[in-house]
Amino acid sequence: MLYKLWRSFVKEILLLKRDIGGIVIIFVMPLLLIITITLIQDSTFKNLEGSKIPIIFIDNDKSEISKNIKYELESSKTFELLTHYNEKSAQDAVFSGDYQMAIVIPENLTTDLNAEIESKVKTIVSSFGLEENSDKAKLKTVKAKDIHLYFDPATNAGFKNNVMNAVNKMVFEIENKKIYKAFQDQLGTTENLEENKNLISFKEITPKKGAMETIPNSVQHNVPAWALFAIFFIVVPLSINLVKEKSQGTSVRARISPTPYFVHILGKTFTYLIICIIQFLLMVAVGIYLFPYMDLPQFDVTGKMFQLMVVTLFSGLAAIGFGVLLGTVADTQEQSAPFGATSVVVLAAIGGIWVPVFLMPEFMQTIAKFSPMNWGLNAYYDIILRNSGIGGIAKELSFLFLFYLAMVGISLIYERKQNAV
């Protein structure tokens, strides 16, 4: 039995050697895709990770309020301030799409705000008869100041609203502090009225130590995603070879030989599993050694390689099962090749390979759960992002293995019925 299995394995290798186009599809195309797509998506993933957005900041006030606003913006994890612009050049840069926004602080903002607050506080204190020269307390009129916000016309409304709300909040807090200080000076109290703790606050609950962010970066997504795409694309050469065997009479000789048909299936399974492992290792090598030279994050597999290889094997089984079914059902290469390529692309699209599932609408996220590529991708995510072991990905592995058994089982039943006819 082992000898027959070995000869079946050798036969599959010989078939692949004669199919140069299939080898290119299996190995070269996924490498080109992973490099291209990762470079394209890197900036998008950086925005999802909270990377700082460069914005232009022009300080014409150069005093307390503008310095506070600048400090708050620099302290945030959202913005990177560019200060070497004037208002005209900032407007041109933003409207041409070079930057998303610019903030311009007007002149004398701090001076005018201090004068207005002081005048209003004196008037209020005088109305209670607490000011000696209450008849002299008059409300000083100060012209309103505008903080200019320039936005790229292509910027979405949500981003604009978030920025304006953030700036309003900063100015409001600064005004409150100044009002407290003005009342403190007028009343002559030593109590710090500024120290008023919020009754309601937000507390962020983060994962325990050892857990990682659940949103991957561009490399953490694309390396396993395109490895899965490459693995499932073996459906095309595998199904073509099965159709060739039927058209050339090889399958007839296999059926009349004393070797059970499932041995031929096992031979194909072992052959293409080795190919899947090689594909995955090539993807990992690109992530580890090539991406850092392209200013992309390095793919970290420290302590995770065994689990990743297990997911690769089970994903390979699922892909092989699908390829065997397609090759068994199809009668011609014209049927198997286009349908195989199209079905893999569709499974990749709904499974989160092209666009991550967490960016999809809720309806599509539900559909994604039925794609075997999504099962494999979730297993990779659990290992890469959450440091899960084999037990943590047991459900996904079970789904992939059951998918393989179902596909091969249907193929065997179909083959027997065809032969019976």
Side-chain angles (χ1 to χ4, degrees):
M1 183 67 71
L2 290 177
Y3 177 75
K4 293 177 181 178
L5 185 61
W6 168 252
R7 296 311 304 173
S8 178
F9 172 78
V10 172
K11 174 180 69 72
E12 295 300 324
I13 297 296
L14 291 175
L15 285 173
L16 283 172
K17 284 176 62 178
R18 296 169 187 168
D19 186 7
I20 302 300
I23 293 175
V24 171
I25 290 175
I26 288 174
F27 294 111
V28 179
M29 182 193 68
L31 292 176
L32 295 176
L33 283 171
I34 188 177
I35 294 171
T36 305
I37 302 300
T38 305
L39 288 171
I40 292 172
Q41 293 183 346
D42 187 54
S43 60
T44 302
F45 275 90
K46 284 181 178 177
N47 288 338
L48 291 173
E49 296 165 24
S51 297
K52 292 189 176 182
I53 301 170
I55 64 171
I56 299 172
F57 183 83
I58 300 174
D59 182 7
N60 293 324
D61 180 46
K62 301 186 186 303
S63 192
E64 182 183 359
I65 292 179
S66 62
K67 289 179 181 178
N68 284 339
I69 293 175
K70 182 179 180 181
Y71 173 77
E72 292 293 334
L73 290 172
E74 287 178 332
S75 300
S76 72
K77 298 179 180 180
T78 306
F79 303 115
E80 176 187 356
L81 302 189
L82 307 175
T83 57
H84 56 283
Y85 285 84
N86 58 41
E87 187 163 357
K88 180 63 171 65
S89 61
Q91 179 180 337
D92 294 339
V94 172
F95 288 170
S96 63
D98 294 337
Y99 298 101
Q100 284 191 266
M101 67 168 295
I103 300 176
V104 181
I105 308 297
E107 294 181 352
N108 303 320
L109 178 62
T110 302
T111 304
D112 289 350
L113 182 60
N114 285 338
E116 184 181 11
I117 290 175
E118 184 178 359
S119 178
K120 288 182 178 179
V121 169
K122 282 183 178 180
T123 301
I124 294 171
V125 172
S126 298
S127 67
F128 289 102
L130 299 176
E131 180 69 40
E132 293 181 359
N133 299 321
S134 59
D135 57 331
K136 297 182 181 178
K138 295 181 180 179
L139 182 63
K140 181 180 178 181
T141 303
V142 178
K143 186 178 180 181
K145 296 289 185 180
D146 293 327
I147 296 177
H148 293 171
L149 300 176
Y150 295 94
F151 289 100
D152 178 2
T155 302
N156 64 64
F159 177 78
K160 293 180 183 179
N161 291 333
N162 288 338
V163 171
M164 287 188 284
N165 289 337
V167 173
N168 279 334
K169 181 182 177 183
M170 283 186 281
V171 174
F172 178 74
E173 289 178 350
I174 292 170
E175 288 179 349
N176 275 348
K177 290 180 181 179
K178 287 188 168 294
I179 290 171
Y180 280 125
K181 184 68 168 59
F183 271 110
Q184 185 177 336
D185 292 341
Q186 289 294 318
L187 297 174
T189 179
T190 58
E191 183 181 355
N192 191 354
L193 300 176
E194 197 176 330
E195 291 183 354
N196 58 324
K197 294 183 179 179
N198 294 330
L199 293 177
I200 299 175
S201 61
F202 295 98
K203 181 180 180 182
E204 181 180 359
I205 308 299
T206 57
K208 294 181 180 180
K209 187 176 180 180
M212 298 178 65
E213 295 292 334
T214 55
I215 296 180
N217 61 35
S218 58
V219 172
Q220 288 172 331
H221 168 73
N222 281 296
V223 169
W226 291 103
L228 279 169
F229 185 80
I231 288 170
F232 271 82
F233 222 81
I234 64 170
V235 166
V236 176
L238 175 55
S239 61
I240 289 175
N241 285 343
L242 280 167
V243 172
K244 280 183 180 179
E245 289 181 354
K246 287 192 288 186
S247 62
Q248 295 173 357
T250 306
S251 60
V252 175
R253 293 195 297 271
R255 286 197 300 269
I256 62 176
S257 69
T259 304
Y261 184 70
F262 74 85
V263 173
H264 298 287
I265 298 298
L266 286 178
K268 296 180 185 299
T269 299
F270 289 138
T271 303
Y272 283 92
L273 273 182
I274 293 173
I275 291 173
C276 292
I277 293 173
I278 295 173
Q279 288 174 319
F280 178 75
L281 292 177
L282 287 173
M283 296 293 187
V284 170
V286 169
I288 295 175
Y289 301 109
L290 180 60
F291 281 166
Y293 290 101
M294 305 172 73
D295 293 327
L296 294 169
Q298 186 179 42
F299 187 60
D300 182 18
V301 295
T302 306
K304 306 169 186 175
M305 200 61 191
F306 173 74
Q307 296 94 311
L308 293 173
M309 291 297 294
V310 171
V311 176
T312 301
L313 289 173
F314 278 82
S315 300
L317 285 174
I320 291 165
F322 185 47
V324 168
L325 176 62
L326 182 58
T328 303
V329 174
D331 294 322
T332 64
Q333 296 182 36
E334 288 74 15
Q335 291 177 353
S336 64
F339 183 81
T342 304
S343 60
V344 170
V345 170
V346 171
L347 288 174
I350 66 175
I353 304 302
W354 302 91
V355 178
V357 173
F358 55 82
L359 295 179
M360 294 181 181
E362 186 175 352
F363 173 70
M364 289 304 299
Q365 291 185 18
T366 302
I367 293 178
K369 296 177 181 179
F370 295 95
S371 171
M373 287 197 196
N374 183 249
W375 308 335
L377 188 58
N378 285 338
Y380 280 131
Y381 276 171
D382 285 341
I383 295 168
I384 296 169
L385 304 176
R386 305 177 185 94
N387 293 320
S388 296
I390 300 300
I393 57 174
K395 183 175 74 172
E396 287 83 2
L397 297 182
S398 300
F399 286 164
L400 291 168
F401 187 64
L402 289 174
F403 183 82
Y404 166 74
L405 292 179
M407 296 295 101
V408 172
I410 295 172
S411 301
L412 293 174
I413 294 171
Y414 182 86
E415 180 73 15
R416 287 175 183 175
K417 285 187 176 181
Q418 288 295 104
N419 294 337
V421 176

